[in-house]
Amino acid sequence: MKLIRSAIEKMEAYVPGFQPKEGEKFIKLNTNENPYPPSPRVLEAIRRGIGASLRLYPNPLADSLRDKIASLFKVPREWVIAGNGADEILNMAVRVTVGKNDKMLVTDPTYILYEVLANFQEAKVIKCPLNQNFDLPNQFPVEGAKMILMTNPNSPTGCPFDKKKLEAICRKAKGMVLIDEAYADFADENCMDFVKKFKNVIITRTLSKSFSLCGLRIGFAISNPEIIEAMMKVKDSYNMNRLSQLAGVAALQDLDWMRQGVRRIKRDREFLTQKLIKLEFKVLPSQANFIFVRHSQISALEIYKCLYEKRILVRHFNRPRLREYLRISIGVHQEMVKLVKVLEGILKGRDEK
Ligand code: PMP
């Protein structure tokens, strides 16, 4: 008998961005990590949490963290679920919504994980190509979709979608609509108000990016209580460890720290954008902590390799439509200055050949 389900055998695994070994010296601009450290309050909370109580299971529902999230977004606790990173939250949402042959509608491009999660369920993925500007097309084929998954601002482009268009999609859709707001803290607008307007909408967030906590794996969703209750059924019993729960509360108690980092990142996003435009890059308008760029003459892969040789890591997606672009996470100012200098050298070197 075959041990592995054929759906799993056939599917491609999600491949995360390259993580160099500890101690390898890279300027790391490939996985949208925040270059600033987390709030000192987070570190203090973890230090306080290290002790004999680790022998005990954590609160299974992460209630203190859910209460903190609920009070920030002015919803009851029953509207909130917390998880081991937004990725786990996405996984739960997909598992409660789509089964075999159900239609999952996603934009193309989008966060690659959605397709992987659909494949676990043997759902059918319908990819709706974004228009030339990587914006939503006027006709978004919501009919028959059991679930629609969108990232806003989108990844890997960084471009925001028009909120009115998103609202129209939520209104028209009969199935579940999940808006993944992993990068919303870097954007001018978000769609959190949709959860109160529409019964079929889930908004997901993460503390990985704006709160600098990739390493702890803290994500959450807000939606109406029936959907949250269903997601609770499929989650692991103790899906958030004790330290993450404490750290999550502490991070959300220090919004000033998060906002200060976000302000710096936005400033450097603008700095890098302007410098790259001068170097003849096309830079898509980003509302995230990364930019998506292509050069007018040199292939993205060639630039990727040259940067790699200079120990600068960026992200290249070898997929149609994306392979001409590089995604560059915003680092600290000095890293952005160094990147521009290295790119100038690469372009100059080519001119001289
Ligand atoms: N959604 C999007 C669009 C992302 O880019 C990421 C990060 N790769 C996630 C969700 C997952 O975030 P987390 O670290 O909380 O799992």
Side-chain angles (χ1 to χ4, degrees), residues 208-234:
S208 291
K209 316 292 174 174
S210 50
F211 289 89
S212 308
L213 289 174
C214 283
L216 283 183
R217 321 298 306 120
I218 305 169
F220 62 91
I222 303 192
S223 185
N224 84 72
E226 277 169 38
I227 295 173
I228 296 297
E229 200 184 329
M231 290 169 70
M232 288 285 185
K233 285 188 191 164
V234 301

Side-chain angles (χ1 to χ4, degrees), residues 301-313:
L301 191 59
E302 186 177 343
I303 298 174
Y304 172 89
K305 286 179 182 161
C306 293
L307 288 174
Y308 188 91
E309 273 172 29
K310 302 278 183 193
R311 308 307 256 177
I312 298 180
L313 269 181

Side-chain angles (χ1 to χ4, degrees), residues 86-110:
D87 281 350
E88 191 207 10
I89 298 282
L90 294 168
N91 194 332
M92 294 173 199
V94 170
R95 276 161 67 203
V96 301
T97 313
V98 295
K100 193 168 179 170
N101 294 329
D102 283 339
K103 284 188 192 153
M104 178 198 276
L105 177 63
V106 298
T107 65
D108 186 15
T110 190

Side-chain angles (χ1 to χ4, degrees), residues 146-206:
K146 186 80 176 28
M147 183 170 205
I148 301 172
L149 273 155
M150 286 177 293
T151 314
N152 189 44
N154 198 15
S155 174
T157 60
C159 303
F161 293 134
D162 180 61
K163 192 168 172 182
K164 289 213 174 69
K165 280 191 189 171
L166 290 172
E167 187 162 353
I169 290 170
C170 294
R171 186 161 295 120
K172 203 165 161 205
K174 299 270 186 290
M176 190 83 87
V177 183
L178 186 148
I179 304 178
D180 177 346
E181 293 196 337
Y183 301 101
D185 287 327
F186 303 98
D188 297 337
E189 270 191 322
N190 65 67
C191 296
M192 197 51 101
D193 52 312
F194 288 4
V195 293
K196 288 186 190 160
K197 282 191 188 160
F198 304 106
K199 279 196 155 167
N200 57 338
V201 171
I202 305 175
I203 303 285
T204 61
R205 294 275 179 103
T206 175

Side-chain angles (χ1 to χ4, degrees), residues 111-127:
Y111 183 30
I112 295 163
L113 182 73
Y114 305 154
E115 191 173 351
V116 175
L117 297 175
N119 288 339
F120 292 165
Q121 302 299 105
E122 299 181 63
K124 276 198 196 122
V125 179
I126 317 279
K127 295 185 188 180

